[in-house]
Amino acid sequence: MRYLWTGVLSALCLLALVSAAAALFAGVTWGLTAFIVGVLLLLGWHVHNLIRLVMWSREPIGTPVPRAAGSWGQVFAELNRRSRVSYDMRERLSSALERFHDASQAMPDGVLYLSDSDTIEWINLKAEQHFGLDHTRDIGAPVTNLVRQPEFVHYLQAGKHDEPLIMTSGRRSGLTLQVQIIPFGDDQQMVLSRDISQLERLETMRRDFVANVSHELRTPLTVIGGFLETLVDGLDDYEREDVMRFLRLALDQSSRMGRLIDDLLTLSALETGAPAPAEEKIDVAALMQEIHEDTELLSAGRHTVTLQMEGDGVLLGSGKEIHSAFSNLASNAVRYTPEGGKIDLVWRVDAQGAEFSVRDTGIGVDPIHIPRLTERFYRVDRGRSRETGGTGLGLAIVKHILTRHQADLRVSSKQGEGSVFSVRLPPARLMALPAR
């Protein structure tokens, strides 16, 4: 405004001087006429620039400010400066808001912004997946009209949000959510949701694991305790042969507990991400020959055990772990193949890597059980497994060892006809034998 007043006063002073000169030389009438015409022209020029200013204010943000001479030029220059500052600030705020939205979209948790009336103001992709919502149609809708689970509605309306809500999703089967509501702003609320389905499954597995371990240890302890109690109460009442039989049975149960504890320690080390042993070069031919001999010793002549080699080479990995995994598969075949059956150990190298297979003519497995065979303590026939001395942890150990070596376990079986357990190893784990 200072520029305008200065310009107006300057123009009026100049106009007054011109009018006075006209009155002096041409008369008062001409001087007055010149003054009136000058005032009208000055007024018209200001009105014209005001109209240009109004028209500019209606243009989109960022439109250049009009140009003008004199005081209006200074006014427009000042407006242009302030407009540029405001535009830059608006761009920064817009960019910050966009980055905030991008960050919210990238969050692994769901985020919902609710108004003071609990209508949805904003929602990220994870929250859409968790609650079965769609931002294109659900923005502005009351959240309780869309998420109608009673526990969520009660939690939202209770006003006590110190503890999170654990709820199952009504839209997706098997999805468990942890929901937390955080008040902010003017009676607004932020709803955070986190998928804890895996944690729930792990907790269930932990409870089952503890229960199974307790059960597996209780059985041999009960047997050992029963035999010892019998001998303590009536040692003189039993013949030496009976005493030795009781002691052998107790020793068998003690050995079973020892194997169970060893397997538990091995599995614990594998599952907790213990550093893998240093990799070494394993002579495949020697490894296969050793597993073949161990399998024959375990079979004790009750089965026909063959070894078939289709290629050899060197295998990169932990010799102890690879031997444990392969031997576990071979010993399982011995345990579950009736006397007189056949067990084939096969090593084959091809373009996709290598494969170690154990084929047997044993009792087989119903295909419905195959996906769960590598679970801890999962047994198709609990009674038979205990009779054969299994701990229920062997295939779980095999799975973890193979995972550490980027290998896969494949199982095919049919009840009454036998099974094939195959280990696929990637080409990166193989080396050719050095030239001799």
Side-chain angles (χ1 to χ4, degrees):
M1 292 301 291
R2 179 169 56 86
Y3 302 125
L4 281 177
W5 282 114
T6 302
V8 169
L9 290 175
S10 299
L12 288 176
C13 290
L14 180 60
L15 185 59
L17 290 174
V18 172
S19 300
L24 182 62
F25 292 102
V28 176
T29 301
W30 283 103
L32 184 59
T33 301
F35 183 79
I36 294 172
V37 170
V39 169
L40 290 176
L41 289 174
L42 181 62
L43 181 61
W45 184 67
H46 283 296
V47 170
H48 171 68
N49 283 302
L50 281 173
I51 292 173
R52 293 175 68 197
L53 180 59
V54 171
M55 295 301 293
W56 170 79
S57 69
R58 295 175 180 175
E59 294 294 326
I61 295 176
T63 302
V65 176
R67 294 181 178 275
S71 59
W72 277 101
Q74 293 177 319
V75 170
F76 285 155
E78 182 66 21
L79 285 174
N80 186 54
R81 186 187 68 81
R82 294 185 64 84
S83 174
R84 191 166 55 249
V85 171
S86 298
Y87 182 77
D88 291 344
M89 184 178 295
R90 180 178 180 275
E91 285 296 304
R92 287 196 298 271
L93 290 174
S94 178
S95 178
L97 181 61
E98 187 174 346
R99 289 197 302 271
F100 170 75
H101 283 169
D102 290 343
S104 297
Q105 289 289 7
M107 287 180 62
D109 297 337
V111 181
L112 267 164
Y113 292 143
L114 303 181
S115 69
D116 55 357
S117 59
D118 292 338
T119 59
I120 300 174
E121 293 186 339
W122 190 83
I123 179 174
N124 73 347
L125 181 60
K126 276 294 181 182
E128 291 185 49
Q129 297 172 354
H130 289 168
F131 296 106
L133 303 175
D134 185 346
H135 72 277
T136 60
R137 67 167 187 267
D138 294 333
I139 298 295
V143 68
T144 51
N145 288 357
L146 303 171
V147 185
R148 300 182 179 181
Q149 290 167 265
E151 62 268 37
F152 175 78
V153 175
H154 176 74
Y155 181 65
L156 179 65
Q157 296 174 349
K160 297 180 180 179
H161 306 135
D162 296 335
E163 296 294 329
L165 169 69
I166 307 298
M167 57 178 280
T168 55
S169 173
R171 303 289 183 91
R172 288 176 54 191
S173 177
L175 176 63
T176 303
L177 298 175
Q178 176 181 284
V179 179
Q180 180 81 56
I181 295 179
I182 303 173
F184 74 99
D186 298 328
D187 295 328
Q188 294 174 290
Q189 298 185 106
M190 179 170 59
V191 180
L192 300 178
S193 59
R194 174 171 296 177
D195 182 357
I196 59 169
S197 306
Q198 181 64 16
L199 294 177
E200 287 287 296
R201 285 192 288 270
L202 290 174
E203 178 61 21
T204 301
M205 290 175 62
R206 185 194 66 79
R207 289 195 297 265
D208 291 345
F209 178 72
V210 172
N212 283 323
V213 169
S214 301
H215 179 74
E216 294 294 330
L217 290 175
R218 184 182 298 114
T219 300
L221 281 174
T222 301
V223 173
I224 293 172
F227 287 151
L228 293 178
E229 185 178 351
T230 299
L231 293 177
V232 168
D233 291 342
L235 179 61
D236 296 334
D237 299 334
Y238 294 96
E239 299 291 336
R240 175 179 171 78
E241 292 182 0
D242 293 331
V243 172
M244 293 303 298
R245 181 169 62 86
F246 289 160
L247 293 177
R248 279 194 294 270
L249 289 173
L251 181 61
D252 289 342
Q253 294 300 320
S254 175
S255 299
R256 181 184 164 200
M257 281 195 299
R259 290 194 301 273
L260 177 60
I261 291 171
D262 289 342
D263 283 351
L264 283 171
L265 293 174
T266 300
L267 187 59
S268 176
L270 291 169
E271 289 186 333
T272 53
E279 291 193 349
E280 52 193 308
K281 296 179 180 179
I282 308 166
D283 186 328
V284 171
L287 173 66
M288 291 298 105
Q289 188 61 42
E290 186 176 354
I291 291 175
H292 180 226
E293 292 173 359
D294 292 345
T295 307
E296 285 187 322
L297 285 173
L298 182 63
S299 172
R302 293 179 293 112
H303 312 91
T304 301
V305 183
T306 65
L307 173 61
Q308 180 181 348
M309 297 286 293
E310 298 180 14
D312 49 18
V314 173
L315 183 60
L316 297 177
S318 165
K320 179 181 178 181
E321 290 187 358
I322 291 293
H323 183 278
S324 173
F326 288 6
S327 294
N328 218 310
L329 298 178
S331 62
N332 277 349
V334 173
R335 290 191 182 98
Y336 295 103
T337 300
E339 187 173 350
K342 185 178 181 183
I343 298 170
D344 298 323
L345 308 177
V346 181
W347 173 265
R348 178 184 296 110
V349 178
D350 54 32
Q352 286 74 44
E355 181 178 87
F356 170 68
S357 299
V358 180
R359 304 171 183 169
D360 64 57
T361 57
I363 60 175
V365 180
D366 190 326
I368 195 174
H369 297 290
I370 290 177
R372 300 191 60 188
L373 287 180
T374 56
E375 292 182 14
R376 294 171 295 185
F377 294 113
Y378 185 81
R379 294 188 175 97
V380 177
D381 185 341
R382 289 185 175 273
R384 184 178 180 86
S385 180
R386 290 196 180 93
E387 290 173 6
T388 57
T391 63
L393 297 173
L395 289 179
I397 292 173
V398 170
K399 174 187 174 182
H400 284 282
I401 290 175
L402 297 184
T403 299
R404 284 159 71 106
H405 289 79
Q406 299 81 47
D408 297 320
L409 177 64
R410 303 173 184 178
V411 183
S412 61
S413 184
K414 192 172 181 180
Q415 277 187 304
E417 297 185 11
S419 306
V420 180
F421 286 75
S422 302
V423 175
R424 287 295 309 183
L425 293 151
R429 287 284 172 185
L430 298 175
M431 292 177 60
L433 283 172
R436 298 179 180 176

